[in-house]
Amino acid sequence: MKMLINVPETVVADALRGMAAAHPELFVDVDNRVVVRGDAPVAGKVGLVSGGGSGHEPLHGGFVGPGMLSAACPGEVFTSPVPDQMVRAAAAVDSGAGVLFVVKNYTGDVLNFDMAAELAEDEGIQIAKVLVNDDVAVTDSLYTAGRRGTGATLFVEKLAGAAAEEGAPLERVEAIGRRVNERSRSFGVALSAVTTPAKGSPTFDLPPGELELGIGIHGEPGRERRAMMTSREIADFAVDAVVEDLRPSGPVIVLVNGLGGTPLLELYGFNAEVQRVLKERGVPVARTLVGNYVTSLDMAGCSVSLCQVDEELLRLWDAPVKTPALRWGR
Amino acid sequence: MKMLINVPETVVADALRGMAAAHPELFVDVDNRVVVRGDAPVAGKVGLVSGGGSGHEPLHGGFVGPGMLSAACPGEVFTSPVPDQMVRAAAAVDSGAGVLFVVKNYTGDVLNFDMAAELAEDEGIQIAKVLVNDDVAVTDSLYTAGRRGTGATLFVEKLAGAAAEEGAPLERVEAIGRRVNERSRSFGVALSAVTTPAKGSPTFDLPPGELELGIGIHGEPGRERRAMMTSREIADFAVDAVVEDLRPSGPVIVLVNGLGGTPLLELYGFNAEVQRVLKERGVPVARTLVGNYVTSLDMAGCSVSLCQVDEELLRLWDAPVKTPALRWGR
Amino acid sequence: MTGEGDHVTDQKPDRILDSDFFRRWLTVAAAMVEREAGRLTELDSAIGDADHGSNLQRGFRSVTAELEKESPAGPGAVLVLAGRRLISTVGGASGPLYGTLLRRTGKALGDATEVTPGEFTEALRAGVAAVAQLGGAKVGDKTMLDALEPAAEALGASFSSFSAAAEAAEKGALATVPLQARKGRASYLGERSIGHQDPGATSSALLMAALAEAAEATP
Amino acid sequence: MTGEGDHVTDQKPDRILDSDFFRRWLTVAAAMVEREAGRLTELDSAIGDADHGSNLQRGFRSVTAELEKESPAGPGAVLVLAGRRLISTVGGASGPLYGTLLRRTGKALGDATEVTPGEFTEALRAGVAAVAQLGGAKVGDKTMLDALEPAAEALGASFSSFSAAAEAAEKGALATVPLQARKGRASYLGERSIGHQDPGATSSALLMAALAEAAEATP
Ligand SMILES: Nc1ncnc2c1ncn2[C@@H]1O[C@H](COP(=O)(O)OP(=O)(O)O)[C@@H](O)[C@H]1O
Ligand SMILES: Nc1ncnc2c1ncn2[C@@H]1O[C@H](COP(=O)(O)OP(=O)(O)O)[C@@H](O)[C@H]1O
Ligand SMILES: [Mg+2]
Ligand SMILES: [Mg+2]
Ligand SMILES: [Mg+2]
Ligand SMILES: [Mg+2]
């Protein structure tokens, strides 16, 4: 797999330099690997900090800005960032109102954010945490590290971010974040494996004519391999997996997410099938977002995320957001 | 190559249905393959219509909305749309102020838009045309069909779209469009070939360890094949090709565009190199846009486009835009 | 005009071409396009964008579907209808070009319900000229004209010239291999376009082969 | 304490471990990680995310760089410093876990400038317990603990037990192959994690092999 890079070692730093040049409205600390909204800390506002391995762009750096994250900490490719980054980010955005860490449920992310929380609290910053664990492909039991955090991260960051922007206090922003996570589920499908710069070849072997159901976003193989399916069949499978677990009793926000290597043309076509299944299952759709938001480098495939919303959450979704990757309102 | 589709024949129609579901603010006529901004025709406003083969998403449908295109006509994958679509689009957006066709310089697009212009004028719609031909990889001579239209299409649609939104008359919108095209140049590089749904396998053979310089956006091979280069080397080559042709005497807008299969992480890293070369060449950068905007399905690679701007053009660039793929301001 | 019943199969100078003949031509052409679509797309993937086969497939399917529904009054109307369908369904470069070829050939035939081979030859030459004008290409530019022009020249007043036209078109298509493209998408490749057969010239040869086959099958 | 000069190479119960010993351990470990990074990443690509090798490479490079600049006062300080570097540079699951292993082992060693093998064994057991607590894993979950726990058990008061610990760790790493992962990223695979060796257990075996090698080289 050929890549548009110099050497694998500098991929993340290079990207941050490029991001700094493209987004003067952000403060990008390349050396310390922190992306902060330019006007941070905002007086009286709760800070929202997330982060995780790189390779999922625009997550998280592309979601920094008014109405969403206050700062993001990019780790190495597919590797959780280190506590130092998170502490620095928290310090940069804390106005005294405290900071919410949005943590995807991976052992690495959890351990590093936990350490960071301790250190930040030592520095006098009030920290709350929301764990995102929406991936229904992983059985949540004693026998796993629990469900992974995937597409719902966007929901949590957007909705908790909107609450923070409105001036909600830390406990409230945290509560919103938790509520969003509880009401969100995702399922992903890979049509090809991902190639990381460090490895330089696909992380697993996916023969032509087969796909992986229940894929994660780090190139780990899925739960099951099957003969290639049509867009229609994949939508049936993925939406059913999500709906059966979430059992939504009201309208949902739909995220039809590309994993990076699947053309937008196909994603929109897939969305048509997703909407069909939702209609067949009697699930009303309040909003739909289609695009590459929580990716896995060049992996071909998609994921479906649903978030069941009430009036408040829908209002927070529609609230203005001004980030590199998500923008609307005002 | 596995695709997230049902059958190749319905790819475009499926995508339009999915787009309709995701974007209630647009009017998507699936049967007639026209995407129109929901509030068209806007009284007194010049209409902007573009279109071309599908497979370049978000171009053009993703650029329909206030401040940019009034309507888009998606053809089959990599195939120019037919005159019927363009006439229908023109009729849907014309408020009496006339319609500008933004046409990428490909034989198919030119011939079909020409036919459409005749037919639309027969129906009493005033039509003007801007041809986009920014690709410096193609020698513009008697011996070619002329330069291709690629990344600069975004500049033309954004800037002429902003002028139209401000209420400029047809001749003025057309003049802006021409000026933007004259001041824009692009150069593209492919790291992998593209796979179309109809063909199902890569359109050309690109061995590991080689790349194509001067690639188009339709899977046609480039002008030259070379041993794989680093991001730094590619930036040197591409920016030099553009700068030597454009010879900018003032600030430029930079578009670092992904062709679809290259991760955003790599694109941002590439942008860092592009900015470095521009600095070394003494070209001041007014604005930078990084992302997948003018794509070629799943092709890995990138293109660099520059548009030399004056005060007016920069103001038009910063003017509000509200489309699925490009949004800022107000 | 008086040829009915005679069996000079290698010399049918006086056969009359009616609507059915042109319908047959288009039907045979559509079948050939179906059969050869993969090859046309393959050729287009070498020096173009890999869609020529599916473009023509879409167009000719629409033509045959339309001809099953509609019964245009004469040869001219049949071709104008077919040309319009191609323009409305193919897109790309070949849609307007082939659409114009048939439409302008049809227009040149006028309202007659029957035409002679010689009249058809004249009309087709007008159609080919319209293609050259629309696309701005000349013979040697590695386009469909490299098959169409020699075919139109080989066509004459005799029915037997139809197979000569098919042969000329085929020869013209093969002769595009060593050429460097100067029009259309393949021209972007510069010298790299050399060594490949032009897809449009190839489909034009099919169209002419279909004409010869239709003529063969004419009673 | 009195062992200087004697040559009972298979039984060095009384050797004293000083800062240099722990520096040597970490240097050897870093060299092993460099050598085996590709293999560790390969193992991680089968049931994880293909970064374990480069993670540890980054971490141990930073450790050796730091140890070249800094001269921590005693064994405990060396390990605490190394643990902190791992936490600050590795990320992922292994960063906090290995970082905690070294940091807590170092803390348990306290300020002494020299320690006995028995004291080290006690300290390492505390470090391993901290890893178990932090990650919530038990032996059999197919993690680094499957190598660390048996190694810590095999370690004793004698210097020779260091190579026994290395062997136990290696055995433990190999024994992860048939296991189904219950912690970390590999657990997402369910039964598909069976049949592959755990990358973290493999790197833990390296760490213990480095310990044995450092002991071997100790005068
Ligand atoms: N200017 C032109 N004049 C005549 N024929 C042309 C011209 N440009 C292209 N063609 C023909 O069209 C063919 C390509 O058709 P097609 O693949 O359907 O359209 P596109 O190039 O738009 O994808 C070429 O092989 C060539 O024969
Ligand atoms: N909860 C845990 N307890 C102990 N070890 C763990 C745990 N989770 C993961 N590991 C170890 O970490 C290794 C993976 O490390 P690494 O690949 O560097 O991190 P990541 O999984 O975040 O990519 C696994 O092979 C396993 O041995
Ligand atoms: Mg990792
Ligand atoms: Mg085409
Ligand atoms: Mg073509
Ligand atoms: Mg890993």
Side-chain angles (χ1 to χ4, degrees):
Chain A
M1 189 55 207
K2 284 159 284 183
M3 294 174 188
L4 185 59
I5 63 173
N6 288 318
V7 291
E9 290 72 22
T10 63
V11 162
V12 175
D14 290 348
L16 287 176
R17 286 189 297 124
M19 206 177 177
H23 298 289
E25 74 277 16
L26 301 177
F27 170 65
V28 180
D29 182 344
V30 177
D31 289 338
N32 294 301
R33 306 210 168 176
V34 186
V35 179
V36 187
R37 59 184 269 189
D39 59 354
V42 178
K45 185 187 157 297
V46 166
L48 235 80
V49 171
S50 192
S54 291
H56 310 301
E57 289 66 31
L59 184 84
H60 299 268
F63 296 148
V64 174
M68 217 160 161
L69 292 181
S70 313
C73 313
E76 283 297 318
V77 171
F78 292 173
T79 301
S80 150
V82 298
D84 310 46
Q85 292 169 271
M86 299 152 185
V87 173
R88 199 173 283 266
V93 307
D94 184 37
S95 67
V99 173
L100 180 71
F101 282 171
V102 178
V103 185
K104 303 200 294 304
N105 187 34
Y106 299 96
T107 307
D109 295 65
V110 170
L111 296 180
N112 284 285
F113 268 106
D114 278 355
M115 291 196 163
E118 269 187 48
L119 296 167
E121 277 162 356
D122 284 356
E123 293 188 17
I125 303 171
Q126 201 189 341
I127 300 285
K129 278 178 286 181
V130 170
L131 200 66
V132 185
N133 60 347
D134 54 313
D135 185 354
V136 300
V138 173
T139 323
D140 185 10
S141 73
L142 286 176
Y143 304 105
T144 67
R147 286 179 162 176
R148 298 176 286 218
T150 60
T153 315
L154 183 149
F155 295 143
V156 173
E157 294 179 359
K158 172 68 182 81
L159 300 171
E165 203 69 41
E166 286 182 4
L170 184 57
E171 316 80 69
R172 176 110 197 88
V173 177
E174 179 189 358
I176 296 272
R178 275 189 216 288
R179 193 157 107 224
V180 171
N181 180 59
E182 275 157 24
R183 298 186 177 186
S184 299
R185 300 288 188 284
S186 299
F187 189 88
V189 176
L191 306 190
S192 77
V194 62
T195 302
T196 60
K199 184 153 185 286
S201 61
T203 52
F204 58 87
D205 216 59
L206 191 51
E210 297 189 13
L211 49 66
E212 289 272 343
L213 293 169
I215 195 78
I217 52 173
H218 298 87
E220 58 270 47
R223 292 283 288 188
E224 196 189 336
R225 184 166 290 185
R226 289 219 190 163
M228 187 56 197
M229 294 157 72
T230 62
S231 165
R232 185 184 183 86
E233 290 164 343
I234 294 172
D236 281 327
F237 196 97
V239 174
D240 276 347
V242 169
V243 167
E244 270 159 31
D245 201 285
L246 181 64
R247 303 200 168 277
S249 57
V252 297
I253 302 176
V254 185
L255 168 62
V256 169
N257 176 60
L259 294 178
T262 287
L264 199 50
L265 184 73
E266 296 177 22
L267 282 184
Y268 272 119
F270 180 61
N271 180 46
E273 297 295 344
V274 168
Q275 303 284 333
R276 172 190 57 75
V277 191
L278 287 170
K279 193 162 193 181
E280 286 170 10
R281 302 290 176 273
V283 181
V285 173
R287 301 286 183 275
T288 299
L289 185 65
V290 179
N292 292 287
Y293 292 106
V294 181
T295 63
S296 189
L297 290 173
D298 65 336
M299 184 184 265
C302 60
S303 63
V304 178
S305 301
L306 300 184
C307 174
Q308 189 191 329
V309 288
D310 48 34
E311 254 176 51
E312 182 183 30
L313 293 184
L314 197 56
R315 180 178 58 74
L316 292 172
W317 178 259
D318 289 338
V321 58
K322 214 170 167 180
T323 71
L326 223 56
R327 283 178 179 253
W328 57 70
R330 219 174 22 212
Chain B
M1 189 58 208
K2 284 160 285 184
M3 294 176 189
L4 184 60
I5 63 172
N6 287 319
V7 290
E9 289 72 23
T10 63
V11 162
V12 175
D14 290 349
L16 287 176
R17 287 190 296 124
M19 205 177 179
H23 298 289
E25 75 277 15
L26 301 177
F27 169 64
V28 180
D29 182 343
V30 178
D31 290 338
N32 295 301
R33 306 210 168 178
V34 185
V35 179
V36 187
R37 59 184 269 190
D39 59 355
V42 179
K45 184 187 158 299
V46 166
L48 234 81
V49 171
S50 192
S54 291
H56 310 302
E57 290 64 33
L59 183 85
H60 299 267
F63 296 147
V64 174
M68 217 161 162
L69 291 180
S70 312
C73 313
E76 284 298 318
V77 171
F78 291 172
T79 301
S80 150
V82 298
D84 310 47
Q85 292 169 269
M86 300 151 184
V87 173
R88 200 174 283 266
V93 307
D94 184 37
S95 67
V99 172
L100 180 72
F101 283 170
V102 178
V103 186
K104 302 199 294 307
N105 188 33
Y106 299 97
T107 306
D109 295 64
V110 170
L111 296 181
N112 285 284
F113 268 106
D114 278 355
M115 289 195 165
E118 269 187 47
L119 295 168
E121 277 162 354
D122 285 355
E123 292 187 19
I125 304 171
Q126 202 189 342
I127 300 287
K129 279 177 284 182
V130 171
L131 200 66
V132 185
N133 60 347
D134 55 315
D135 185 353
V136 301
V138 173
T139 323
D140 186 11
S141 73
L142 286 177
Y143 303 105
T144 67
R147 288 180 161 173
R148 297 176 287 219
T150 60
T153 316
L154 183 148
F155 295 143
V156 173
E157 295 179 359
K158 171 69 181 82
L159 299 172
E165 202 71 40
E166 285 182 4
L170 184 57
E171 315 80 68
R172 177 110 196 88
V173 177
E174 178 189 358
I176 296 272
R178 275 188 215 286
R179 193 158 107 225
V180 172
N181 179 60
E182 274 157 24
R183 299 185 176 187
S184 300
R185 300 288 189 282
S186 299
F187 189 88
V189 175
L191 306 189
S192 78
V194 61
T195 301
T196 60
K199 184 153 184 285
S201 60
T203 51
F204 58 86
D205 216 59
L206 191 50
E210 299 189 11
L211 49 67
E212 288 273 342
L213 293 169
I215 195 77
I217 54 173
H218 297 87
E220 58 270 47
R223 292 283 287 188
E224 195 188 338
R225 184 166 291 185
R226 288 220 190 162
M228 187 58 196
M229 295 156 72
T230 62
S231 166
R232 185 185 182 86
E233 290 163 343
I234 294 172
D236 281 327
F237 196 98
V239 174
D240 275 347
V242 169
V243 168
E244 269 158 33
D245 202 285
L246 181 63
R247 304 199 166 278
S249 58
V252 298
I253 302 176
V254 184
L255 169 62
V256 169
N257 176 59
L259 294 178
T262 288
L264 199 50
L265 183 73
E266 296 177 21
L267 283 184
Y268 272 119
F270 181 62
N271 180 45
E273 297 295 345
V274 168
Q275 304 283 332
R276 172 190 56 76
V277 191
L278 287 170
K279 194 163 193 179
E280 286 170 10
R281 300 291 174 274
V283 181
V285 173
R287 301 286 183 275
T288 300
L289 185 65
V290 179
N292 291 287
Y293 292 106
V294 181
T295 64
S296 188
L297 291 174
D298 65 335
M299 185 184 265
C302 59
S303 64
V304 178
S305 301
L306 300 184
C307 174
Q308 187 190 332
V309 288
D310 48 34
E311 254 176 52
E312 181 182 32
L313 294 184
L314 197 56
R315 180 178 58 73
L316 292 171
W317 178 258
D318 290 338
V321 58
K322 214 171 166 179
T323 70
L326 223 56
R327 282 178 179 255
W328 58 69
R330 217 171 25 212
Chain C
M1 294 196 177
T2 57
E4 264 172 10
D6 75 14
H7 286 272
V8 191
T9 44
D10 57 343
Q11 202 86 21
K12 307 177 180 175
D14 44 0
R15 288 299 170 77
I16 284 304
L17 308 174
D18 57 8
S19 292
D20 279 350
F21 172 81
F22 289 99
R23 288 169 160 276
R24 199 152 55 238
W25 176 25
L26 295 167
T27 311
V28 174
M32 285 184 172
V33 162
E34 285 295 333
R35 208 175 56 215
E36 300 290 330
R39 192 176 139 240
L40 294 174
T41 289
E42 195 60 49
L43 289 174
D44 197 29
S45 89
I47 55 170
D49 58 351
D51 63 358
H52 190 55
S54 42
N55 283 350
L56 292 189
Q57 214 169 16
R58 189 170 58 250
F60 276 93
R61 280 182 189 172
S62 163
V63 167
T64 37
E66 196 74 7
L67 285 176
E68 270 166 27
K69 286 187 297 189
E70 305 268 326
S71 300
V78 168
L79 294 186
V80 167
L81 179 92
R84 287 226 175 103
R85 286 319 302 159
L86 292 183
I87 291 172
S88 288
T89 59
V90 173
S94 59
L97 291 167
Y98 276 132
T100 296
L101 175 71
L102 295 188
R103 215 170 61 87
R104 294 294 285 273
T105 303
K107 280 199 158 184
L109 289 179
D111 304 333
T113 53
E114 296 181 331
V115 300
T116 64
E119 283 162 355
F120 171 64
T121 296
E122 283 310 305
L124 187 79
R125 286 180 183 164
V128 172
V131 169
Q133 210 215 342
L134 182 64
K138 307 181 307 297
V139 167
D141 285 353
K142 194 169 184 136
T143 71
M144 55 176 68
L145 279 177
D146 289 339
L148 290 177
E149 291 249 17
E153 264 165 49
L155 268 187
S158 81
F159 218 63
S160 69
S161 69
F162 284 33
S163 54
E167 272 165 41
E170 178 65 24
K171 238 176 86 182
L174 289 172
T176 61
V177 174
L179 298 178
Q180 175 170 339
R182 288 198 281 224
K183 286 289 167 190
R185 207 174 283 288
S187 70
Y188 304 142
L189 294 184
E191 293 184 357
R192 288 176 79 184
S193 65
I194 292 172
H196 302 274
Q197 186 166 325
D198 179 61
T202 310
S203 58
S204 284
L206 284 186
L207 206 62
M208 291 300 130
L211 184 69
E213 198 175 307
E216 277 303 317
T218 300
Chain D
M1 294 195 178
T2 58
E4 264 173 12
D6 73 17
H7 286 273
V8 190
T9 45
D10 57 343
Q11 201 87 19
K12 310 175 178 175
D14 46 357
R15 291 296 172 79
I16 285 302
L17 309 174
D18 57 8
S19 292
D20 279 351
F21 172 81
F22 289 99
R23 287 170 162 276
R24 199 152 53 238
W25 176 24
L26 295 168
T27 311
V28 174
M32 285 184 171
V33 162
E34 285 294 334
R35 209 176 54 217
E36 301 290 330
R39 192 176 139 239
L40 294 174
T41 289
E42 196 59 51
L43 289 174
D44 197 29
S45 91
I47 56 171
D49 59 351
D51 64 357
H52 190 55
S54 41
N55 284 350
L56 293 189
Q57 214 169 15
R58 192 170 56 249
F60 277 92
R61 280 181 190 174
S62 163
V63 167
T64 37
E66 196 74 6
L67 286 176
E68 271 165 28
K69 286 187 297 187
E70 305 268 327
S71 300
V78 168
L79 294 186
V80 167
L81 180 92
R84 286 225 178 105
R85 288 317 304 157
L86 292 183
I87 291 172
S88 287
T89 60
V90 174
S94 58
L97 291 166
Y98 277 131
T100 296
L101 175 70
L102 296 187
R103 215 171 61 89
R104 294 295 284 274
T105 302
K107 279 200 158 182
L109 289 178
D111 302 335
T113 54
E114 295 182 331
V115 300
T116 65
E119 283 162 354
F120 172 63
T121 296
E122 282 312 304
L124 187 81
R125 285 180 183 162
V128 172
V131 169
Q133 210 214 342
L134 182 64
K138 306 181 308 296
V139 167
D141 285 353
K142 195 171 186 134
T143 70
M144 54 175 69
L145 279 176
D146 288 339
L148 292 177
E149 291 250 16
E153 263 165 49
L155 271 188
S158 81
F159 218 63
S160 69
S161 69
F162 283 32
S163 54
E167 272 165 41
E170 178 65 23
K171 238 176 86 185
L174 289 171
T176 61
V177 174
L179 297 177
Q180 176 170 339
R182 287 200 281 224
K183 287 289 166 190
R185 208 175 282 290
S187 71
Y188 305 141
L189 294 184
E191 294 184 357
R192 290 175 78 183
S193 65
I194 292 172
H196 301 274
Q197 185 168 327
D198 180 61
T202 309
S203 57
S204 285
L206 284 185
L207 206 61
M208 292 300 130
L211 183 68
E213 198 174 307
E216 277 303 318
T218 300

